[in-house]
Amino acid sequence: MMTRTAIIICWTLAIGLALFLLLPLVVIAAASFSPTPVFDLPLSGASTRWYGRIGRLDGFWPSLSLSLQIAVLSTALSLVAGTLAAIAIARGRLPGATALGTLLVSPLMMPGLVLGIALLQYFRMIGFTATWSALLVAHLVVTLPYVARTMIAGLSRFDFTLIEAARTLGCTYAGSVLRVMVPALAPSFLISGLFSLLASFDNYPVSIFLTDVRSKTLPIRMLQYIEEAPDPTLAALSTLILAGTLVLLLISDRLVGLHRMAGTAD
Amino acid sequence: MSAAPHLVISGVSKRFGAATVLDRVDLTIRRGELVTLLGPSGCGKTTLLRAIAGLAPPDGGTIALAGRDVTHVPPHRRNVGVVFQSYALFPHLTVAGNVAFGLKVRGAPKAEIDRAVERALSLVKLGHLGSRRISALSGGQQQRVALARAIAVEPDVLLFDEALSALDRKLREEMQVELRRLLQEVKATAIFVTHDQDEALTMSDRVAVMNKGRIEQLAEPRELYARPASLFALNFVGLSTRIAGQVVGGSNGTVEVVTPVGRLSARGAFQPGASVIVATRPEQLRLGTGDGANSAAGRVRSVVFQGSRTLVDVDAGAGASLLAELSGREAELPRVHDEVRFAWPVAETFAFAAEAS
């Protein structure tokens, strides 16, 4: 009887929590199809006109382009640097490897606002004022921990005897890395890339200090829109971003399987 | 088994920093021979295996495999098969994918790969599990997959690095017998590395006992046990009675030794005054005085029944002890605290130089 009650309570809580987390997404998606500028339930019909207005938002395309550039580039650089750093930390006999690993991951634990102000002051001090480059460097600080943490975890579980096994079976060293290490680490690679991409793309607190009037990243531009004209265009844009994220997740699932990415299998 | 040397290791040395791990090792193995490198951890046996595989090239000496000098040939062009202690199976491939790996890398045609995989898997009795994931297999099955993967490429030599040590005792003993039969069936030349003397005696045609980077003795299992060449080999393989003493004379390969338990004769050649250890195997000891044999008396300290045999440990005084193995058919077994006398043949008594330590 006790267990039965407990199970009911647990499920109620779990479903309630899931609803609480997911309902805003449903609301935003519903709002994006609202025929009137003011979102009202129940909907009195459906319209896609807000979607058509996204592209005409003031400064939308440059902001989207900037955000994508920074997100993709910082992710690519983080994947290279983070993987190499992870190899040195997880595999090498580096003195102070653990400390170095903690240092690499530490920006994750720092409030974004503090990080943003600190970077702004620092960049000013050393005369590093090019907005685009400053943004890229700042986003690297944000994305590198995701990659480093995931790759260190992935590598520490990787058995390097597998490479030796592949070599004795006829693979060159490089071939062994490619045929054995890369597939084994693919889930770590993909999940850290995904995290990094999203962390950069929707970063607000660090970017806000480093953008100027002419170059604003998408999240900052969106906040500006909401202050100026709060109509469902933003809901439409948010829905599109949500859809894009879903597509990324689906592709990842197809490639390596989300269960492997979450580290729950094997 | 042909007499032609198949693997010739000569003067192979390896240093790691200041430590000499392999010290001018010589070893010649015939085609189809099963040889074990036996020794404690740190004796260099794994390093020697890795040198043969090409994973740790030696600093000095040469290694020739199947008539070709491979000393500086990288592992992927050596045609060796290695079964690792951790099995090192590729987790992202199926059982068949693992077994096919070596042939795929070599660019063999698909039909040939399929045939070889099927044959290798049926040899290790896993023919029905080809499509399984590695993580869905038991430890024993993984071990078989690792073996099938190494066999599938038809290597010139198969190398086993403590390959059975991860299995539980019963499974390990079964695998030892089965593996030996299987290797003889495919006429493989194989080298096992192990610290398990039972595995060495069961599996091999010859055993190389290694210590401090050198091969102390290379012999057939029976000879290794009956005629150990050094105190180390005696200690590492099987049980023994060991008594320290001083040589007082001798002739014709026999020495007279004064020990705390009395005067003993032993095979060996030493100058009078030399400190030696006199040793014999437990099954050589018989209750009684014996005629013209070595003998010693003492008080029984323990009697351990082990099924087909019983081990009797005797305190012979002055820190010396005797270890006797009596068969189950013995009319009357001594009891603890009994005063007993044991005798054993001089021909089965050896003298070794006492080690400085």
Side-chain angles (χ1 to χ4, degrees):
Chain A
M1 198 57 208
M2 266 305 290
T3 44
R4 200 182 155 79
T5 318
I7 288 170
I8 290 173
I9 291 174
C10 278
W11 272 107
T12 314
L13 278 177
I15 292 169
L17 200 66
L19 282 178
F20 181 75
L21 288 173
L22 293 175
L23 266 180
L25 303 181
V26 177
V27 170
I28 210 97
S32 71
F33 294 105
S34 163
T36 55
V38 179
F39 177 55
D40 209 6
L41 276 174
L43 289 172
S44 52
S47 155
T48 55
R49 65 176 170 132
W50 306 113
Y51 285 87
R53 287 181 58 166
I54 294 173
R56 276 173 286 161
L57 283 170
D58 177 34
F60 168 76
W61 291 112
S63 286
L64 178 67
S65 159
L66 178 66
S67 270
L68 283 178
Q69 280 172 36
I70 299 286
V72 169
L73 256 174
S74 66
T75 296
L77 290 175
S78 290
L79 279 176
V80 174
T83 306
L84 293 178
I87 290 174
I89 288 166
R91 178 66 174 157
R93 285 161 197 83
L94 213 61
T98 328
L100 203 69
T102 313
L103 189 76
L104 260 179
V105 178
S106 63
L108 268 183
M109 293 156 225
M110 218 186 303
L113 276 175
V114 177
L115 199 62
I117 293 174
L119 284 172
L120 174 68
Q121 298 253 10
Y122 176 65
F123 287 164
R124 280 225 180 119
M125 222 175 72
I126 62 170
F128 183 44
T129 51
T131 307
W132 192 88
S133 315
L135 262 177
L136 181 66
V137 173
H139 278 228
L140 262 178
V141 175
V142 174
T143 56
L144 194 58
Y146 288 102
V147 177
R149 190 179 60 170
T150 315
M151 293 311 291
I152 289 171
L155 273 168
S156 61
R157 268 178 306 177
F158 181 72
D159 177 9
F160 280 83
T161 319
L162 293 184
I163 289 194
E164 296 191 334
R167 291 177 71 199
T168 59
L169 286 166
C171 273
T172 60
Y173 193 91
S176 308
V177 170
L178 223 66
R179 277 171 177 268
V180 174
M181 194 164 162
V182 168
L185 291 179
S188 309
F189 218 67
L190 211 67
I191 197 167
S192 58
L194 211 60
F195 267 135
S196 161
L197 205 65
L198 293 176
S200 166
F201 190 74
D202 78 349
N203 181 280
Y204 185 85
V206 175
S207 303
I208 186 78
F209 292 101
L210 299 167
T211 46
D212 56 31
V213 186
R214 272 164 292 128
S215 42
K216 284 186 174 161
T217 58
L218 196 59
I220 293 168
R221 185 70 77 185
M222 284 169 77
L223 201 78
Q224 179 201 323
Y225 294 150
I226 231 168
E227 281 164 356
E228 288 167 358
D231 65 30
T233 317
L234 270 187
L237 177 51
S238 302
T239 309
L240 281 185
I241 292 174
L242 196 63
T245 312
L246 268 178
V247 168
L248 266 183
L249 282 174
L250 283 175
I251 294 172
S252 313
D253 187 36
R254 264 295 133 87
L255 285 178
V256 296
L258 280 179
H259 63 100
R260 273 183 78 194
M261 288 167 62
T264 49
D266 302 351
Chain B
M1 192 189 300
S2 76
H6 184 60
L7 175 67
V8 181
I9 295 162
S10 40
V12 163
S13 295
K14 180 82 182 174
R15 308 175 128 270
F16 289 128
T20 302
V21 186
L22 290 177
D23 186 8
R24 288 159 292 159
V25 171
D26 296 318
L27 178 63
T28 300
I29 294 173
R30 294 183 294 268
R31 184 181 294 278
E33 202 176 14
L34 309 178
V35 172
T36 294
L37 307 178
L38 176 69
S41 58
C43 73
K45 57 190 193 296
T46 295
T47 308
L48 183 57
L49 195 84
R50 293 173 61 82
I52 298 167
L55 295 168
D59 302 329
T62 59
I63 298 172
L65 179 59
R68 181 168 71 118
D69 182 353
V70 295
T71 314
H72 299 290
V73 172
H76 64 276
R77 283 196 261 119
R78 278 196 187 202
N79 202 27
V80 295
V82 186
V83 179
F84 293 90
Q85 183 172 16
S86 65
Y87 312 144
L89 296 173
F90 306 128
H92 62 289
L93 298 177
T94 59
V95 168
N98 267 274
V99 179
F101 189 91
L103 294 160
K104 270 201 180 129
V105 170
R106 280 153 217 238
K110 187 169 181 328
E112 188 186 311
I113 294 177
D114 289 346
R115 251 199 325 274
V117 169
E118 203 187 307
R119 178 167 174 270
L121 280 178
S122 74
L123 264 175
V124 300
K125 295 180 188 151
L126 288 181
H128 54 299
L129 294 182
S131 56
R132 284 275 182 95
R133 291 187 63 84
I134 295 301
S135 54
L137 299 183
S138 71
Q141 288 171 329
Q142 292 190 11
Q143 215 271 333
R144 286 160 187 267
V145 176
L147 176 63
R149 184 178 68 178
I151 287 179
V153 297
E154 295 182 9
D156 289 326
V157 62
L158 268 168
L159 308 171
F160 295 82
D161 184 11
E162 303 268 8
L164 299 178
S165 65
L167 303 177
D168 63 59
R169 191 192 158 96
K170 189 164 160 13
L171 194 56
R172 189 166 66 229
E173 284 172 359
E174 284 170 15
M175 260 321 266
Q176 285 169 8
V177 176
E178 187 184 332
L179 187 56
R180 181 172 168 82
R181 188 187 51 70
L182 191 153
L183 291 173
Q184 285 171 334
E185 190 180 316
V186 299
K187 298 188 172 61
T189 310
I191 301 177
F192 309 97
V193 153
T194 185
H195 60 266
D196 180 346
Q197 50 159 310
D198 293 332
E199 195 174 310
L201 298 180
T202 309
M203 306 274 293
S204 8
D205 299 323
R206 284 192 297 164
V207 178
V209 177
M210 291 190 69
N211 184 30
K212 295 176 184 160
R214 304 200 60 116
I215 292 178
E216 292 239 347
Q217 185 173 11
L218 175 63
E220 289 174 16
R222 193 181 292 268
E223 190 194 337
L224 178 67
Y225 182 80
R227 297 277 176 268
S230 67
L231 195 55
F232 180 84
L234 170 90
N235 285 342
F236 206 80
V237 177
L239 298 168
S240 56
T241 286
R242 299 179 297 276
I243 300 163
Q246 283 222 315
V247 175
V248 291
S251 62
N252 295 336
T254 306
V255 285
E256 295 295 314
V257 184
V258 171
T259 75
V261 301
R263 217 179 153 95
L264 300 174
S265 302
R267 293 156 60 102
F270 292 95
Q271 294 300 314
S275 291
V276 295
I277 304 283
V278 176
T280 191
R281 294 296 186 188
E283 68 276 11
Q284 300 298 340
L285 271 65
R286 286 284 167 269
L287 283 164
T289 50
D291 272 338
N294 288 318
S295 93
R299 183 188 291 267
V300 175
R301 199 185 284 137
S302 70
V303 178
V304 179
F305 175 70
Q306 291 189 328
S308 60
R309 63 181 193 174
T310 301
L311 286 176
V312 181
D313 184 22
V314 176
D315 180 0
S321 59
L322 308 173
L323 185 66
E325 179 189 318
L326 305 176
S327 81
R329 287 188 295 275
E330 211 81 25
E332 203 162 321
L333 289 169
R335 295 160 189 266
V336 177
H337 300 316
D338 281 359
E339 292 286 344
V340 291
R341 175 164 283 275
F342 278 111
W344 64 96
V346 174
E348 298 298 335
T349 312
F350 318 103
F352 299 106
E355 280 172 347
S357 60

